[in-house]
């Protein structure tokens, strides 16, 4: 029996495995090698790895984990989970049953792309969600923001640290008059009409095509489509969730433990509103440390 099985081997899961491996705990990490940020050319904000391709960072992390004999990386999907604390069982897609005292769920989320030609193809390059991840590289340029609801007003204020040139695309949303007045005060134009296509022009540049207005070219387009967990294991376990503006998140406490004792969650699955490799790495390490401490002999 493993002491911990980690489901999801991207930044959060591997960070948890590192802490547990250094504590000489027996760990198996299950992963299908489909990290959320695989579409991005570079990852930013992670100390020591700034501006490296995210897949390269993960490959290096796996190599480093090889020096810990108690950590095992397995390319497999987790199909089901049963049991309770100190006696969990994970059935993999290969038909293997793994026993574990603790579980860490870090299988992330999947972004739900709108049915707009060119949107999915531009995701991670011309269309991005996070200014902390990509803002510095396009600072001072013409940004676009696809309005997705009231939280978008906060993004407008946030982006000011990076650029003074921003265009808002209403994309069929009703923007309240007081918010429109505030945008006008900030000299931020609002383009009404629905987006019909995104034309990418290499690098970050994109042209936004609309049904009732002329095309608008921007240097980078920010958008926040809703997302959903990449698997449904938390549903079968009955774990408590939170409905955030971006999607469903697992509810965790300060130790990253879910509503079921012995099951921890980290990464975008438990924090989709702050989707970055920095927070995923931090929360993954926290989950690993507290999972280890929960098994101490008293």
């Amino acid at each position: 029996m493993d002491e911990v099985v980690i489901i999801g081997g991207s930044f959060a899961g591997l960070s948890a495995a590192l802490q547990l491996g250094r504590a000489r705990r027996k760990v198996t990490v299950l992963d299908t090698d489909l990290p959320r940020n695989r579409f991005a050319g570079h990852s930013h904000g992670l100390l020591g790895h700034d501006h490296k391709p995210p897949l390269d960072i993960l490959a290096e992390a796996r190599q480093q984990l090889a020096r810990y004999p108690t950590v095992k990386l397995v390319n497999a999907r987790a199909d089901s989970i049963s049991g309770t604390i100190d006696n969990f069982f994970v059935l993999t897609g290969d038909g293997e049953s793994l026993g574990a005292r603790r579980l860490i769920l870090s299988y992330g989320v999947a972004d739900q792309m709108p049915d707009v030609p060119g949107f999915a193809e531009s995701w991670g390059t011309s269309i991005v969600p996070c200014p902390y991840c990509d803002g510095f590289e396009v600072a001072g340029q013409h940004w676009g923001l696809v309005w997705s609801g009231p939280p978008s007003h906060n993004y407008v204020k946030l982006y000011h640290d990076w650029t003074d040139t921003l265009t808002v695309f209403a994309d069929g949303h009703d923007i309240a008059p007081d918010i429109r007045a505030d945008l006008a005060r900030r000299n931020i134009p609002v383009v009404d009409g629905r987006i019909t296509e995104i034309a990418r022009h290499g690098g970050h540049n994109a042209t936004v095509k609309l049904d009732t207005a002329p095309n608008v070219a921007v240097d980078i387009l920010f958008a926040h489509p809703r997302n959903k967990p990449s698997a449904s294991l938390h549903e079968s376990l009955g774990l408590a969730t939170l409905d955030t503006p971006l999607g469903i998140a697992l509810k965790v406490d300060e130790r990253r433990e879910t509503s079921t004792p012995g099951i921890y969650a980290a990464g975008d699955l438990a924090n989709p509103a702050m989707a970055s490799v920095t927070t995923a790495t931090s929360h993954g390490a926290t989950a690993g440390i507290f999972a280890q401490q929960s098994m101490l002999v008293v």
Side-chain angles (χ1 to χ4, degrees), residues 41-235:
H42 297 88
S43 184
H44 301 109
L46 183 62
L47 187 64
H49 296 285
D50 190 48
H51 203 65
K52 287 184 180 180
L55 296 182
D56 289 356
I57 300 174
L58 292 174
E60 183 178 348
R62 294 186 190 100
Q63 292 173 357
Q64 292 173 353
L65 283 172
R67 70 187 287 254
Y68 299 100
T70 60
V71 177
K72 182 180 180 182
L73 306 180
V74 178
N75 189 347
R77 182 185 68 251
D79 276 354
S80 65
I81 297 173
S82 59
T84 56
I85 189 169
D86 286 323
N87 197 33
F88 292 111
F89 292 94
V90 179
L91 181 65
T92 74
D94 299 329
E96 184 178 4
S97 180
L98 304 175
R101 295 183 61 193
R102 301 291 186 272
L103 299 176
I104 297 177
L105 307 182
S106 52
Y107 48 78
V109 300
D111 296 293
Q112 304 301 289
M113 302 299 172
D115 188 20
V116 173
F119 193 103
E121 294 81 0
S122 301
W123 186 246
T125 52
S126 301
I127 307 175
V128 296
C130 173
Y132 296 100
C133 303
D134 297 287
F136 181 84
E137 282 66 34
V138 289
Q141 299 183 38
H142 183 187
W143 290 20
L145 170 64
V146 180
W147 199 266
S148 55
S152 295
H153 195 198
N154 292 326
Y155 294 128
V156 168
K157 303 171 186 177
L158 179 66
Y159 294 167
H160 183 70
D161 274 0
W162 287 273
T163 186
D164 293 322
T165 308
L166 175 65
T167 297
V168 165
F169 298 92
D171 197 29
H173 287 88
D174 290 326
I175 302 177
D178 60 325
I179 294 179
R180 283 183 178 266
D182 181 68
L183 296 176
R185 181 180 63 83
R186 298 172 186 272
N187 296 316
I188 297 173
V190 177
V191 180
D192 289 306
R194 285 198 172 275
I195 297 174
T196 59
E197 184 180 353
I198 304 294
R200 181 184 170 194
H201 304 293
H204 293 299
N205 299 325
T207 295
V208 181
K209 298 185 178 182
L210 302 118
D211 60 353
T212 60
N215 298 343
V216 179
V218 294
D219 295 310
I220 189 74
L221 184 63
F222 281 80
H224 302 90
R226 285 183 65 83
N227 53 59
K228 67 177 183 179
S230 295
S232 58
L233 297 171
H234 59 284
E235 295 179 0

